[in-house]
Amino acid sequence: SDGNVWVTDGVGSGNIPEGDDRGHRVIKFSPRGEVLMILGTGGEEGGGRNHFTSPSDVVVAENGDIFVADGHGNAGNNRVVKFNRRGEFLMSWGQTGYGPGEFRSLHAIDIDGDGMIYIGDRENHRVQVFDSRGRFETQWVNLHRPCAIYISQEQHVYIGELGEMY
């Protein structure tokens, strides 16, 4: 609502020169391009409260809570990380797998007007839906590698799929 821009810097470790602090972070910019917040530790992949492994998307709730889809790739963290508006870690959920609340390459995230979190679980070919506390609600299957989710003001959900169906 303030016009800020959120960016995931998900460059893989193999593409980061020695001593460089790019990758594995989420950056909040003002409308003028000033850095307002950095989540994660640049140049260092990992889990826990202060690290990501190639985060792929970020969404901010009405109350300012920040949700990060962390884990671009099957071997990544495959989790959602939640922070408050000040960037303080609140919780995370998810792991690598095939069941509800498990992911294989989180690739997209959005939030609807009721605060439900939609996750594009790309390599499991589905979208999973959670409440803001990480409780699994439902899933939509028979999608082909969902890589983008957009929820309009009218609550229409648009899902971008990657590649051709086979």
Side-chain angles (χ1 to χ4, degrees):
S1 62
D2 295 330
N4 297 316
V5 176
W6 289 83
V7 176
T8 56
D9 183 6
V11 65
S13 293
N15 296 322
I16 301 172
E18 185 72 31
D20 198 313
D21 68 351
R22 287 180 286 177
H24 311 300
R25 60 190 178 170
V26 174
I27 305 167
K28 176 184 178 182
F29 294 94
S30 75
R32 293 184 174 161
E34 302 157 316
V35 174
L36 301 176
M37 181 186 299
I38 298 176
L39 301 173
T41 304
E44 295 180 22
E45 69 178 45
R49 296 171 173 245
N50 299 311
H51 286 86
F52 300 117
T53 299
S54 297
S56 58
D57 204 357
V58 59
V59 67
V60 180
E62 270 189 41
N63 69 354
D65 285 348
I66 305 157
F67 296 87
V68 177
D70 179 27
H72 184 255
N74 291 337
N77 288 332
N78 285 309
R79 66 180 181 159
V80 176
V81 187
K82 180 180 178 181
F83 300 90
N84 67 19
R85 68 174 50 250
R86 294 177 300 284
E88 298 164 337
F89 176 86
L90 296 176
M91 66 177 293
S92 66
W93 74 85
Q95 62 186 10
T96 302
Y98 300 91
E102 297 176 336
F103 308 99
R104 290 178 47 239
S105 192
L106 288 82
H107 205 274
I109 189 169
D110 207 350
I111 188 168
D112 71 15
D114 296 324
M116 301 302 286
I117 311 297
Y118 294 68
I119 308 293
D121 185 6
R122 187 171 77 175
E123 298 308 316
N124 280 330
H125 299 272
R126 65 184 175 186
V127 169
Q128 294 191 62
V129 183
F130 300 86
D131 71 12
S132 65
R133 294 185 196 123
R135 187 181 67 187
F136 175 80
E137 294 290 330
T138 191
Q139 64 182 352
W140 301 340
V141 297
N142 295 323
L143 298 168
H144 186 69
R145 302 181 78 201
C147 59
I149 300 173
Y150 172 72
I151 303 173
S152 71
Q153 287 183 321
E154 296 82 18
Q155 302 292 45
H156 298 286
V157 179
Y158 299 89
I159 300 169
E161 296 175 286
L162 182 63
E164 297 178 20
M165 297 292 285
Y166 45 89

